[in-house]
Amino acid sequence: MAAVMLATMCAVVYGTADFFGGLATRRSRVLAVVMLTQLTGLVFVLPLLPLLPGTPSPAALGWGMAAGLCGGVGVVLFYRALASGVMSVVAPTTATTSAALPVLAGLAMGERPEAAALCGVALALAAVVLVSREPGAGRSRAAPAPVVQALVSGLGFGAFFVLLKQVPAEAGLWPLFGARLASAVAAGALALASGRTVRPGKGALPAIVTAGILDMLANVLYLMAVQRGLLTVVAVLASLYPASTLLLARYVLGERLSALQAAGVGLALGAVALIASA
């Protein structure tokens, strides 16, 4: 039950972080938002290390850095796919792949959730597809390149979830320090190589800082959840984050939810209930 609660909170916080990240990208270049959110998360996790003490072993840092690189690649490819592809295809492809990979990995590692939990996982996967749908573009045909980028992006996000499951139990938050250090360095190297500015747009810095802090907080919740529960269940619950982003957009920005997205939110709630009852 603790793992389910932590994973559900993780999804809410991830979704809120994405909401603020979306606000920031309206005023800044995407690479600037990615770079500065990574640095903010790195600064945020430093004072947390003594609060949740652990051993900074090579295994802890190594798994974390590998996870951070996979997640960083996922972010870059996801934004590139969105820029050149059809959102109604790209977003569900990425979200479904990122949720399905941990399920397959967990089953391959011998995890066997109860029947009710498996039904909840199936509902959650359907919910991820529905809440990620962009209204009004369902009949558009996507070019092959953005679809491939979306698939690889989803694999990167899913690998982030899987790799953090491998960290030693006594590692504390050091894997997240390694993850954010690796992704921040990679984002900085990409910015230097491309020659693009990482200066935030006017008025965007508060949203960027908020997104960076919340994203790291969600990572902390995920790590705590996956150390207490099954990867098959925890990663799928964490992947429900688009639902909270949608609800914030609906009630803060006044954006409308399509019928499919509303159904997805309902399925997400049902999935959490089923998994919690298992």
Side-chain angles (χ1 to χ4, degrees):
M1 180 62 73
V4 172
M5 292 179 61
L6 287 168
T8 304
M9 292 169 58
C10 169
V12 172
V13 179
Y14 267 141
T16 307
D18 276 3
F19 174 76
F20 281 99
L23 293 180
T25 55
R26 295 182 178 184
R27 299 181 178 181
S28 297
R29 291 182 180 272
V30 168
L31 188 56
V33 174
V34 172
M35 176 67 185
L36 294 174
T37 52
Q38 301 307 298
L39 287 176
T40 300
L42 182 61
V43 172
F44 177 71
V45 78
L46 288 175
L48 297 181
L49 294 174
L51 298 179
L52 294 172
T55 304
S57 64
L61 293 174
W63 285 115
M65 293 179 75
L69 289 175
C70 289
V73 169
V75 169
V76 172
L77 289 179
F78 180 61
Y79 281 122
R80 287 190 63 183
L82 287 179
S84 57
V86 179
M87 185 174 291
S88 63
V89 175
V90 170
T93 299
T94 298
T96 307
T97 307
S98 67
L101 179 62
V103 172
L104 296 176
L107 293 175
M109 290 187 291
E111 294 185 356
R112 296 296 180 266
E114 297 181 12
L118 280 176
C119 290
V121 167
L123 274 184
L125 289 172
V128 167
V129 175
L130 293 179
V131 299
S132 302
R133 297 291 295 182
E134 178 72 7
R139 297 183 181 178
S140 300
R141 177 173 295 179
V147 174
V148 173
Q149 291 171 348
L151 283 170
V152 179
S153 171
L155 291 174
F157 292 142
F160 176 86
F161 289 141
V162 174
L163 291 170
L164 284 184
K165 176 66 174 177
Q166 314 308 313
V167 303
E170 68 278 5
L173 296 182
W174 284 101
L176 296 182
F177 170 79
R180 195 43 48 96
L181 179 63
S183 60
V185 170
L190 181 60
L192 287 175
S194 63
R196 297 179 181 177
T197 180
V198 293
R199 180 178 298 176
K202 185 177 180 181
L205 190 58
I208 291 174
V209 171
T210 302
I213 291 174
L214 290 176
D215 183 65
M216 179 52 72
L217 178 58
N219 289 340
V220 172
L221 291 170
Y222 173 77
L223 184 60
M224 294 173 64
V226 83
Q227 289 176 341
R228 291 165 172 79
L230 299 177
L231 173 67
T232 311
V233 172
V234 170
V236 171
L237 286 176
S239 297
L240 292 172
Y241 62 86
S244 56
T245 307
L246 279 178
L247 292 175
L248 282 170
R250 169 68 180 87
Y251 291 106
V252 176
L253 301 179
E255 296 181 2
R256 292 185 178 182
L257 273 67
S258 69
L260 286 178
Q261 289 174 324
V265 172
L267 281 182
L269 296 175
V272 173
L274 263 178
I275 291 172
S277 68

